[in-house]
């Protein structure tokens, strides 16, 4: 069975990495525009809850911020409360994005 999804959307929440036991995660929401209908002027959006773990969580919180556009490949999972979340598996970068520098190590991202 195949369970893959590619999403591009605007981040609607603040990004914070949470560390519990031996793993870390970053839970955030994205707003994805629906396709515009021919006779309708307004664009509607769908909101999705996403979770990135470990290195992906650190990368998401470091490279992106609320209001930024993110593109990633992930998979759908059912949460304990019967809602659906998207697990971020691979980040995709557009040709244009702001380069950030890790102040502690001097590493460019």
């Amino acid at each position: 069975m195949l369970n893959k999804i590619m999403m591009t959307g605007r981040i609607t929440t603040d990004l914070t990495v949470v560390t519990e036991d031996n793993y870390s995660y970053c839970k955030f929401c994205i707003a994805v525009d629906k396709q515009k209908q021919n006779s309708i002027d307004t664009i509607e959006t769908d909101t999705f809850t996403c979770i990135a773990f470990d290195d992906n969580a650190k990368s998401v919180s470091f490279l992106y911020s609320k209001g930024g556009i993110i593109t990633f490949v992930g998979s759908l999972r059912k949460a304990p409360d019967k809602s659906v979340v998207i697990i971020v598996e691979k980040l995709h970068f557009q040709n244009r994005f702001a380069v950030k520098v890790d102040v502690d190590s001097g590493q460019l991202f």
Side-chain angles (χ1 to χ4, degrees):
M1 300 286 174
L2 181 63
N3 181 2
K4 291 288 180 197
I5 186 167
M6 183 172 196
M7 302 291 288
T8 298
R10 188 167 305 281
I11 299 170
T12 62
T13 55
D14 291 322
L15 301 172
T16 305
V17 176
V18 177
T19 303
E20 293 181 1
D21 299 326
N22 292 330
Y23 67 94
S24 56
Y25 67 92
C26 180
K27 186 175 182 180
F28 60 97
C29 293
I30 61 170
V32 178
D33 292 342
K34 292 182 180 181
Q35 283 189 331
K36 187 176 178 182
Q37 302 293 329
N38 289 340
S39 61
I40 301 173
D41 291 334
T42 60
I43 298 175
E44 295 182 23
T45 59
D46 290 321
T47 303
F48 299 95
T49 302
C50 308
I51 301 176
F53 289 97
D54 298 323
D55 289 340
N56 282 337
K58 294 173 188 172
S59 296
V60 166
S61 69
F62 185 75
L63 295 172
Y64 298 95
S65 59
K66 184 176 180 178
I69 295 176
I70 187 171
T71 300
F72 61 86
V73 173
S75 58
L76 295 174
R77 297 284 190 267
K78 192 185 321 181
D81 65 354
K82 305 287 190 226
S83 65
V84 175
V85 296
I86 300 171
I87 305 298
V88 176
E89 296 173 352
K90 184 185 281 188
L91 295 169
H92 287 261
F93 301 104
Q94 298 175 356
N95 292 337
R96 303 170 300 156
F97 72 93
V99 175
K100 293 188 177 184
V101 178
D102 184 355
V103 177
D104 296 329
S105 68
Q107 185 175 3
L108 293 175
F109 291 92

